[in-house]
Amino acid sequence: MDYADVCVLVPTYNEAETIAEVVASYRDEGFHNVLVIDGDSTDGTRELAEEAGAHVVVQRGSGKGQAVREAVEEHVEATYVLMLDGDGTYEAGDAAKMLDPLTEGYDHVIGDRFADMRPGAMTRLNKVGNRIINRAFAFIHGQDFRDILSGYRAFTRESFLDMTLTSDGFGIETEMAVECAKRGIETTVVPTTYYPRPNGSDTNLNPVRDGGIIFLELYRRAKTNNPLFYFGSVGLTSTATGVGLAGYVAYEWFIRSISHEVIAVVSAAGILFGVQLLMFGVLSDLILSLHREQMKRIEELE
């Protein structure tokens, strides 16, 4: 691949400890189009990036997701984009194998950090959280991308513009993975090395807050990609709750001769609501399957 066709995209916020080395390492690999889109850092990140040879843009909004969307839509003209974090945790030497699949017909490449994760690169809590999120994604969306939260991505600009992305924060990686599964974007995973953040470099990620956002994003996106799960999970919960309350009412009535009219009404409502959601989920899944079949036939005709 001609690296002149590649833009190395680095969204940053207060990464002064690492950004100069990150930019220099990719320029040493032959990438001269390095774009740093900065969230108005206050520690000199922009100046250090410019001195290292990067083109620097200050994003209009805030958050990683907004930065990536703005950069690709308005500032990137290259055919291919290599996206990474500016914290020095990714290996510049892995760039070639990240980009190679794009010349083989793939449109999106995810770097698997777990393939070669160095000691101390991720806390035990983060490892567990990542594993759970990846399992949930595979179950909900039917694709196993192994590391959907990886910030090391390579993709065609065209495929990125085909995605519907709305996340402003760290949910951008999750959204991209869901869009790849939903739209049938040719995606592959390659093993990469993942290093600990250098001393003095603080993470902008809050495991609890951002983990919750990612789980909500996974569930929200299931509405249009796996409606049976989206509606069925709530329906099963409501039905199970209603059945449990009905069992309690029956026990109290037959064993202790105590009636619970209000609980009985709530139980019936829960069961009816749950069954209706389950039926709606089945119908929605059927409609989605028919839609996908029709789109496939249209694409074949084209």
Side-chain angles (χ1 to χ4, degrees), residues 208-228:
V208 177
R209 180 197 64 205
D210 293 307
I213 291 173
I214 289 166
F215 269 115
L216 287 175
E217 185 62 30
L218 273 179
Y219 183 74
R220 185 176 70 86
R221 288 274 173 162
K223 177 170 56 179
T224 54
N225 197 39
N226 189 348
L228 182 58

Side-chain angles (χ1 to χ4, degrees), residues 3 8 10 19-36 48-55 82 84 92-93 95:
Y3 287 173
V8 177
V10 190
I19 189 60
E21 183 178 349
V22 169
V23 173
S25 66
Y26 283 88
R27 287 182 62 83
D28 288 345
E29 290 290 326
F31 298 96
H32 298 294
N33 183 4
V34 180
L35 172 63
V36 171
L48 290 168
E50 286 180 340
E51 291 174 5
H55 173 56
L82 180 66
L84 56 126

Side-chain angles (χ1 to χ4, degrees), residues 1-7 31 33 76-81 99 155:
M1 175 182 290
D2 186 353
Y3 287 173
D5 295 330
V6 179
C7 174
F31 298 96
N33 183 4
V76 174
E77 297 181 357
T79 304
Y80 306 108
V81 179
L99 292 165
F155 48 85

Side-chain angles (χ1 to χ4, degrees), residues 2 21 44 52 83 90 115 148 151-152 158 176 212 231 235 246-247 267 281 285 299:
D2 186 353
E21 183 178 349
M83 187 182 84
Y90 297 110
I148 68 166
Y152 210 3
E158 183 180 2
M176 292 170 74
F231 295 105
S267 169
D285 191 66
E299 290 174 359

Side-chain angles (χ1 to χ4, degrees), residues 234-263:
V234 179
L236 282 174
T237 301
S238 179
T239 302
T241 301
V243 170
L245 290 174
Y248 171 74
V249 171
Y251 173 83
E252 290 285 280
W253 173 260
F254 289 108
I255 304 302
R256 302 175 58 188
S257 298
I258 300 175
S259 61
H260 295 281
E261 290 84 357
V262 174
I263 297 178

Side-chain angles (χ1 to χ4, degrees), residues 109-282:
V109 182
I110 300 174
D112 181 9
R113 298 169 297 172
F114 293 95
D116 183 20
M117 183 174 292
R118 300 302 169 87
M122 190 180 290
T123 66
R124 180 170 296 182
L125 175 62
N126 283 347
K127 285 182 181 179
V128 172
N130 270 261
R131 296 294 189 188
I132 293 173
I133 289 171
N134 281 294
R135 294 289 184 274
F137 176 87
F139 177 75
I140 295 171
H141 297 284
Q143 296 278 356
D144 186 5
F145 292 150
R146 296 205 291 274
D147 189 10
I148 68 166
L149 302 185
S150 173
Y152 210 3
R153 305 284 179 117
F155 48 85
T156 62
R157 182 174 183 270
E158 183 180 2
S159 69
F160 183 91
L161 296 179
D162 285 340
M163 297 179 180
T164 302
L165 304 172
T166 59
S167 174
D168 286 337
F170 286 99
I172 184 68
E173 289 90 356
T174 303
E175 272 195 327
M176 292 170 74
V178 171
E179 285 292 294
C180 286
K182 175 182 176 181
R183 299 180 183 277
I185 295 173
E186 292 295 327
T187 304
T188 189
V189 182
V190 300
T192 57
T193 302
Y194 190 60
Y195 295 100
R197 293 179 69 101
N199 292 332
S201 174
D202 297 324
T203 181
N204 297 314
L205 179 69
N206 183 303
V208 177
R209 180 197 64 205
D210 293 307
I213 291 173
I214 289 166
F215 269 115
L216 287 175
E217 185 62 30
L218 273 179
Y219 183 74
R220 185 176 70 86
R221 288 274 173 162
K223 177 170 56 179
T224 54
N225 197 39
N226 189 348
L228 182 58
F229 172 83
Y230 181 82
F231 295 105
S233 58
V234 179
L236 282 174
T237 301
S238 179
T239 302
T241 301
V243 170
L245 290 174
Y248 171 74
V249 171
Y251 173 83
E252 290 285 280
W253 173 260
F254 289 108
I255 304 302
R256 302 175 58 188
S257 298
I258 300 175
S259 61
H260 295 281
E261 290 84 357
V262 174
I263 297 178
V265 171
V266 172
S267 169
I271 293 172
L272 290 173
F273 179 69
V275 171
Q276 287 177 335
L277 277 180
L278 285 169
M279 293 174 63
F280 188 75
V282 171

